[in-house]
Amino acid sequence: MNEIQVKIKTFLSKFFGNHDLQKDEDIFALGFVNSMFAMQLVLFVEQEFQIVIENEDLEFENFRTINSITNLVERKTAVIIHK
């Protein structure tokens, strides 16, 4: 796991109890996610990685797995670096 994935997994682990969440495991399918948690997750990603999640980023596919969240963060930080 890279540093971004470790930070995301650490955050998610606080809510998933003893479940060892895998990088490609669908957190929505596991039933752990409600609308309040989804908001917390978006806020965590914005604050932890100092990016802005735009309305068009708010799709399930961007937040479904550790890998999909990592890809979103990498895309958003690449835009910041290249500006």
Side-chain angles (χ1 to χ4, degrees), residues 11-12 15-16 27-28 32-48 51-53 55 57-60 63 69 72:
F11 173 79
L12 292 174
F15 300 92
F16 286 56
I27 64 174
F28 295 98
F32 288 112
V33 179
N34 59 31
S35 58
M36 184 62 113
F37 175 78
M39 289 175 58
Q40 287 178 292
L41 179 57
V42 170
L43 285 172
F44 162 77
V45 169
E46 286 185 322
Q47 292 171 353
E48 181 69 31
I51 59 176
V52 175
I53 302 299
N55 286 340
D57 300 321
L58 294 174
E59 297 179 13
F60 284 124
F63 293 93
I69 300 168
L72 173 65

